[in-house]
Amino acid sequence: MFDIKWIRDNSETFDAALARRGYAASSEKLIALDDARRAHISKLQEAQERRNAASKEIGKAKASGDDAAAQKVIDEVAEIKSFIQSGEEKEREIVSALEAAMAVIPNLPYDDVPQGSDEADNVEKTLVGTKPSFDFTPKEHFEIGEEQGGMDFSTAAKLSGSRFVVLKGQIARLERALGQFMIDMHTLEHGYTEVSPPLLVHDSALYGTSQLPKFEEDLFKTTGDHYLIPTAEVPLTNMVAGEILDEESLPLRVTALTYCFRSEAGSAGRDTRGILRQHQFQKCELVSVTKPEDSLAELERMLGCAENVLKKLGLHYRVMTLCTGDMGFGARKTYDIEVWLPGQDSYREISSCSVCGDFQARRMNARYRVPGSKSLGHVHTLNGSGLAVGRTMIAVMENYQNEDGSVTIPEALRPYMGGLEKIG
């Protein structure tokens, strides 16, 4: 969400930044809606002033015995009152139209974000480690999982349909171990506070983090007035919705290991084998709330925390700076971490870390007390995966697979696996 006053004062900058994201200029339409709002409010104010003045005129006319003049003004006041009542409803309609128009406009990229139209234009930031070598043809994770009897897609399909899996035995334990490993690392080593949030939220929370109204088809809605969370970013970030924070409480860093639910509406036919793209999956989410001047440094810190998980697991990966055409709706700058999957012979996204500036904070009305000033400012918000558990499990299984179908457990995970060195 944007400040309409800022758009008025910086319309060319606003339209140029939107153009970088492939969006048509919007400032003229937004300013026109705001002009209509201002003009209507001015008429309402004039009507209220005339009503107040007319009330005094009625008293004077009655005091002087001029009942005809008094009645004429009384009739005028009745008309003014009717106009004000209908005018207030019209004002709400104009404001709603302006907010609706603003709600579907994406965030503006920072100047250093690479220009581009899709993932082909993303820019490599860092490359860490080397690809593992095998003296056999490496298998994909679902082949390993099915051979071990630890991934059951047919039973999952019977229970729930496509894009679900039943994990069993040591592979189920491996998923649990990875999640515990991540949440322990982020709380004990990286200073995040663990949170166990609700998995069901109201639409206002999804509006606050900009999943609504634009991306409703990607969400699962209950028969009531709740949605299943697509990511723990939603409840974690909305913890500060409507709040006024003290400077001393920032930065606020929280993390949660939760299930996430996505309809994958735009992914028909993509990644249908295995567990890369599921309707239900676990993810360890990182969220930070900062002062505006600290948010870019916090993005680099968050990226380092997510990278550290892969480093401790000994996995090869690269960090990509997303171009303007590939960034998420609410982001001003995003880094994607892509892990190497030898079974697929390709890099695949395992984490996105984004800084949103005050885009979400304005939607949530999340503010802080500006030091040395009586005014309030909007905080900056950041979110990142630290990491997606299922995709990390894919990476471990494919990178640590052996020719006999077993999987060697990375040393950092063995305490969470009861000391097991291999599974399968």
Side-chain angles (χ1 to χ4, degrees):
M1 186 66 76
F2 299 98
D3 178 3
I4 187 62
K5 183 180 183 301
W6 184 90
I7 293 174
R8 279 183 171 278
D9 296 341
N10 301 274
S11 58
E12 290 185 4
T13 300
F14 179 77
D15 289 339
L18 280 184
R20 291 189 68 209
R21 296 202 65 161
Y23 280 73
S26 294
S27 64
E28 186 176 352
K29 175 185 175 183
L30 298 175
I31 291 171
L33 285 169
D34 192 47
D35 284 340
R37 179 187 66 84
R38 289 182 173 197
H40 186 69
I41 289 174
S42 179
K43 288 181 181 178
L44 282 176
Q45 289 173 340
E46 290 173 2
Q48 288 165 347
E49 289 170 1
R50 176 56 192 150
R51 181 182 63 180
N52 294 338
S55 297
K56 296 178 181 179
E57 291 176 13
I58 293 170
K60 289 180 180 179
K62 286 185 174 182
S64 65
D66 192 346
D67 292 340
Q71 187 59 48
K72 183 179 179 181
V73 179
I74 289 171
D75 293 340
E76 181 188 358
V77 169
E79 290 180 6
I80 293 173
K81 184 178 180 181
S82 176
F83 170 77
I84 290 174
Q85 288 176 340
S86 62
E88 288 173 346
E89 177 60 31
K90 185 177 179 181
E91 180 187 356
R92 286 190 288 270
E93 291 174 0
I94 295 172
V95 170
S96 179
L98 177 59
E99 290 177 348
M102 299 262 277
V104 294
I105 297 173
N107 207 348
L108 307 182
Y110 283 122
D111 292 339
D112 64 343
V113 172
Q115 183 67 37
S117 56
D118 54 37
E119 62 183 17
D121 297 317
N122 295 340
V123 176
E124 184 176 286
K125 182 179 186 287
T126 52
L127 186 69
V128 178
T130 57
K131 297 176 183 178
S133 59
F134 299 88
D135 25 359
F136 60 93
T137 302
K139 297 176 181 177
E140 292 199 54
H141 70 281
F142 55 84
E143 297 174 294
I144 302 167
E146 288 179 320
E147 287 175 6
Q148 289 193 14
M151 287 185 178
D152 188 343
F153 295 97
S154 60
T155 298
K158 178 176 67 176
L159 296 171
S160 307
S162 61
R163 297 197 187 277
F164 290 93
V165 67
V166 172
L167 300 180
K168 301 176 182 178
Q170 294 175 332
I171 291 181
R173 185 176 189 177
L174 177 60
E175 181 191 47
R176 176 162 52 91
L178 282 164
Q180 297 303 312
F181 167 69
M182 292 175 192
I183 200 76
D184 280 355
M185 178 181 292
H186 294 312
T187 55
L188 300 177
E189 297 182 26
H190 298 152
Y192 287 84
T193 298
E194 183 174 0
V195 175
S196 180
L199 304 186
L200 292 166
V201 294
H202 291 304
D203 56 1
S204 59
L206 289 153
Y207 177 84
T209 47
S210 66
Q211 281 83 10
L212 287 178
K214 192 172 178 62
F215 303 103
E216 184 162 15
E217 65 174 4
D218 295 326
L219 305 171
F220 284 112
K221 188 175 183 179
T222 70
T223 52
D225 61 349
H226 290 94
Y227 290 82
L228 288 164
I229 62 168
T231 164
E233 169 201 346
V234 177
L236 292 181
T237 309
N238 274 278
M239 287 169 61
V240 299
E243 298 292 326
I244 298 175
L245 305 174
D246 292 325
E247 180 199 10
E248 294 75 18
S249 67
L250 302 175
L252 176 68
R253 299 182 179 116
V254 288
T255 182
L257 174 66
T258 70
Y259 278 101
C260 306
F261 306 88
R262 298 183 186 177
S263 71
E264 298 292 350
S267 303
R270 294 172 55 196
D271 302 315
T272 55
R273 296 292 307 275
I275 64 169
L276 192 76
R277 199 179 295 276
Q278 298 265 283
H279 289 312
Q280 171 187 303
F281 58 94
Q282 287 191 64
K283 181 156 65 79
C284 188
E285 186 72 5
L286 308 174
V287 162
S288 295
V289 179
T290 73
K291 293 184 293 184
E293 61 267 29
D294 298 336
S295 60
L296 285 174
E298 185 70 12
L299 175 63
E300 301 296 329
R301 182 189 188 278
M302 179 178 284
L303 174 66
C305 294
E307 285 186 82
N308 201 27
V309 177
L310 293 175
K311 288 176 179 177
K312 289 205 170 187
L313 293 174
L315 295 169
H316 168 56
Y317 66 92
R318 65 185 184 184
V319 177
M320 306 295 290
T321 305
L322 297 197
C323 70
T324 53
D326 199 33
M327 285 199 311
F329 180 84
R332 296 205 69 180
K333 184 175 184 178
T334 298
Y335 294 128
D336 268 11
I337 304 176
E338 298 180 348
V339 69
W340 175 251
L341 300 181
Q344 291 191 23
D345 193 32
S346 65
Y347 292 98
R348 299 303 299 263
E349 177 202 333
I350 199 169
S351 171
S352 279
C353 296
S354 298
V355 56
C356 300
D358 63 2
F359 187 79
Q360 293 178 329
R362 287 185 177 278
R363 296 169 80 106
M364 298 185 302
N365 195 28
R367 296 169 295 170
Y368 78 109
R369 303 183 195 280
V370 179
S373 171
K374 294 182 179 179
S375 64
L376 301 175
H378 286 92
V379 296
H380 279 198
T381 60
L382 303 93
N383 63 82
S385 306
L387 306 163
V389 176
R391 294 191 174 198
T392 309
M393 185 165 70
I394 291 172
V396 168
M397 292 175 69
E398 292 195 9
N399 282 276
Y400 284 94
Q401 63 180 291
N402 302 303
E403 190 170 8
D404 63 1
S406 65
V407 174
T408 300
I409 302 299
E411 287 190 17
L413 270 188
R414 290 177 187 176
Y416 295 88
M417 291 290 292
L420 284 176
E421 296 183 5
K422 287 185 180 181
I423 60 172

